Amino acid sequence: METLYKGKAFRFETHGAIGIVTFDLEGEKVNKLGPTPFEDLEKILDLIPKSGIRAALFKSAKKNSFIVGADINLIQNLKDKQDAHRASCKGQEVFSKIEDLKIPTIAAIDGACMGGGTELAVACKYRICSDYEKTAIAVPEVKLGFLPGWGGTFRIPRIVGLPNALDMCLTGKNIRADKALKMGLVSAVIPQALFEAKSLEITESLAKTGKIPGAKLRKISIQEKVLAGNFLGRMLVFSQAKQTVLKQTRGHYPAPLRMLEVMSHVFSESRHAYMRREADAFADLWSTSESRNLVGLFFLTENAKRDTGTSLSETQVKELPSVKSLGVLGAGVMGGGVAAQSAVFGLRTTIKDINFEAIAKGLAHARSLFDKDVKKKRITKIQRDNRMNLMRGQLDYAGFAGLDLVIEAIVENLEVKKKVFAELEPQVGPNCIVASNTSSLRLTDMASVFKDSSRFVGIHFFNPVDKMPLIEVIKHEKSSPEAIARAVAYSKAIGKTPVVVKDGPGFLVNRLLMPWLNESAYLLSEGHSIERLDRLAKNFGMPMGPFELLDEIGIDVAAKVSHILEDSFGPRAAASKVSDLVAKAPEVNGRKRWGRKSGLGFYNWDAPGGRRQAADSTAISSLIGPAQGTSGVKATNSADDAYLVARMFYPMINEAALTLEEGIVENPSQIDLAMIFGTGFPPFRGGLCRWADTLGLSKVVQSLDSFSDGGKVLRLKPLEALKKLNKFY
């Protein structure tokens, strides 16, 4: 092995007739592309034609990782559109040099291959990958508000076909090894244990024969040939893709639409002309507010991964006992969901309930989640069965003495919870954390029954557990830093993003969510329709309208939470009568009007837990008659859309200012992260506080003052905490 070049990022070695280009970025755990790697790579690409090699292998020295993409810090710190344009052109130039090499080139992918890493890989003539479970290939730039700017949108369609390329580029989804092989993105999948040796062997074969032994060719369907094989067919594909994008994004995200416009030229322009078009689009998208907000969210997420939630350092946290086994009290939907999520990440879970029928339902719920993964081919049936084997159900506390964590997920009743915790504490060991999954009750009120309340915390999951990425880790006055840090570490270990909040009514997310739901109910009582209010909320960017969400939560549950908050905060949190009137309405064909779970709510459902049908507007109007005229705001049936959006969302900003003043969270970034991951607040707006700063807080204060008639309607009165702020950030 002879080393011809060694830089700070890449080295180039020859081994007989083959060259090995190894990416090993100094001082980093993973490989990221930027100026230094490009400088090294250019020097190597100039050397390759002079080296006499007949094939080149591009690989990573980082364990279980190929290239995670561009250094996002560098992208964020680009000065202007011209700087962004130059950065795009530079990457295009380097990767085109790889593509233009006269010898076979192959990328050996073991682990994450993201963004610019994928663009480097597709510039090679061939790609192979390992069967490592975390091997994934993706171009996730669309999730950051821009598009692959180093030639990826030009090369990917030529390798995997237009339909696959659009799906890959427009969604940013991870492509696993088996899917990558099927779609022709890679030529072979190699067992990870043999990957390094096989990579060399395959490269040597390329040097001798120009072929990969046993390589599989992509099968092109008749439908793809018809649709993507001619100009008119391609235009139909792009038209359908645009309709799908608009339906999913409501036009709020410019990146996928601009990407479609650029990629429509992929088979009609030369590489040189196309690259100019791609670089122009990259620069334009980089400069949008949507991209800045999405990149900001990326950094919020990355910071959350490193945050221990306490003053303890990462090193100190690593020395604490990790959670390897846990118990779940309550086998309902939440309990079953928590157990299933923990099993996905290899944790042994004991589910305790008062009867086997409840336990059977909890385990059945968990299995149904795993069956979905099997159906979508994310896991095998054997993997599903292995997950199920990690869970067991029982009626007593046998074995609880050896658990690391117990999470309570029973009925939302303070006295019942206190009784259960009093029973539980003597059954667990001294190092066991005890947590409540309560969504609204104060931890301080429950902590009184513990002899050692320092181990007691809140671990609040959001429903459905398998889909919602947020966990609120709640601390009360006596929660120890060690217990909080272990709860945060557990949350991360099961694939969730934790935000640590101080104990208080509604904690953070529900406390900020309820003003939106509550004010929407008041607007309904003023004569505005369910359909209009839901449509405006979704046009704003929320995944659901307020009444769709109330049906999902359960109208009875939402009514209960609204009264808990009103009892805690007084008249400024005065609950609308609407939810009470609907939840307590007479049954219809044996169904309570509690929302999706009962099959009837603000909307009709085809069955309990089934699919949403049309809004039940006539029935709701008759039910909420007694609530009309109780909002304190003069009815404005002619109100424009902007007024209604402000009425719905500005009260959330008002409350956010107070949560910061009270120290419920430490900074506005935590609010933004929690609201995006916990409620689906539009990511392209950057979060609640970022959006408020964009609006200008003086505008929000003036609007709330107007809505509240100079402060007479207390729930809409601008709070002093908001008036004190110039900006959240």
Side-chain angles (χ1 to χ4, degrees), residues 79 143 145 169 216 382 385 388 417 443 570 684 705:
K79 297 175 184 177
K143 297 179 180 179
C169 295
K216 293 184 178 180
I382 292 174
D385 294 341
M388 290 300 301
K417 289 181 186 288
L443 264 67
F684 71 89
D705 191 60

Side-chain angles (χ1 to χ4, degrees), residues 526-551:
E526 291 171 22
H528 304 289
S529 71
I530 294 170
E531 296 91 340
R532 184 184 184 191
L533 295 170
D534 274 357
R535 174 176 51 80
L536 288 176
K538 288 190 286 188
N539 287 344
F540 176 78
M542 297 297 286
M544 292 184 187
F547 300 103
E548 289 177 299
L549 183 57
L550 284 165
D551 269 8

Side-chain angles (χ1 to χ4, degrees), residues 5 7-10 25 33-41 74:
Y5 178 86
K8 293 182 178 180
F10 281 94
L25 187 59
L33 291 162
T36 298
F38 277 135
E39 183 180 338
D40 281 355
L41 195 51
L74 296 174

